[in-house]
Amino acid sequence: MLFRSRFFSVHFRVVVRMGRAVAGADGLHGARASRLLGYFLVSFGTLGMQYAFGPIYAQLLKQLQGSREVTALVGSLSIGLMDGLGMVSGMLVLTYGSRCCCLVAAAVTALGWGLSALVAEPWQLLLTYSLLVGVGHSLALHSAVLCVGRWFSSKLALAHALPNTGGALSPLLMGMLAQI
């Protein structure tokens, strides 16, 4: 019984200290609000771009005139890498921090999009869009998820739900933008 109470006492002290040092008051102030906005923008960009691959797929078929299978594989591999590399991305975020991983993710994703604009064949998109954008989106999304988890001790579900609406709203806009 002594060990159990000592464990819970130490655990409680660590949680309270972390809560005061990181989370502060339960209100939504400066740094916490900026992290929610950042998570919203990351969800809007990563999840929205992945989920809106349907209209992009139609435009890719028209522009590149390649096989439907290879063009569809581009989007499937990209979202598969984004989700499949979640554990690796999470370990990188815990090792190097959210800020560093988000900057690397932005560079890798921008490189993937830039190189994707230069392709002439659908199979080249497997290297540029699928690989680079998938890895970049994985790093960015999981950096944001872990960052919000660190900054919110109470109302964590709400703190994740509000920014994830960006992932739900983005395909609506991306679909319209792909038609232009």
Side-chain angles (χ1 to χ4, degrees):
M1 189 70 169
L2 180 62
F3 174 74
R4 180 181 283 175
S5 64
R6 187 177 294 165
F7 171 75
F8 286 123
S9 174
V10 169
H11 178 69
F12 179 73
R13 273 188 254 140
V14 169
V15 168
V16 169
R17 285 186 187 151
M18 286 177 59
R20 285 186 189 149
V22 175
D26 281 332
L28 188 61
H29 303 288
R32 295 175 75 180
S34 68
R35 272 148 180 95
L36 283 181
L37 178 63
Y39 186 7
F40 177 85
L41 294 174
V42 166
S43 290
F44 190 85
T46 59
L47 295 175
M49 198 65 178
Q50 295 291 345
Y51 296 158
F53 190 75
I56 295 169
Y57 170 76
Q59 293 298 321
L60 287 174
L61 282 176
K62 287 180 188 176
Q63 297 293 326
L64 299 176
Q65 298 176 351
S67 72
R68 298 169 65 110
E69 296 82 15
V70 173
T71 308
L73 185 62
V74 168
S76 298
L77 281 178
S78 181
I79 199 165
L81 283 172
M82 182 186 75
D83 291 335
L85 293 175
M87 286 186 66
V88 175
S89 296
M91 291 172 56
L92 288 172
V93 169
L94 292 176
T95 303
Y96 298 108
S98 293
R99 183 177 298 158
C100 178
C101 288
C102 269
L103 290 173
V104 170
V108 170
T109 302
L111 180 67
W113 283 341
L115 292 175
S116 294
L118 302 174
V119 301
E121 297 291 325
W123 66 268
Q124 295 168 338
L125 284 173
L126 292 172
L127 299 174
T128 59
Y129 189 88
S130 295
L131 183 65
L132 292 176
V133 173
V135 169
H137 281 178
S138 180
L139 268 175
L141 182 64
H142 294 97
S143 294
V145 169
L146 290 173
C147 182
V148 168
R150 287 181 184 170
W151 277 80
F152 287 86
S153 57
S154 64
K155 300 181 182 174
L156 185 61
L158 182 63
H160 280 289
L162 291 175
N164 273 325
T165 58
L169 295 175
S170 182
L172 299 173
L173 297 175
M174 294 290 183
M176 289 185 268
L177 289 175
Q179 301 299 326
I180 297 176

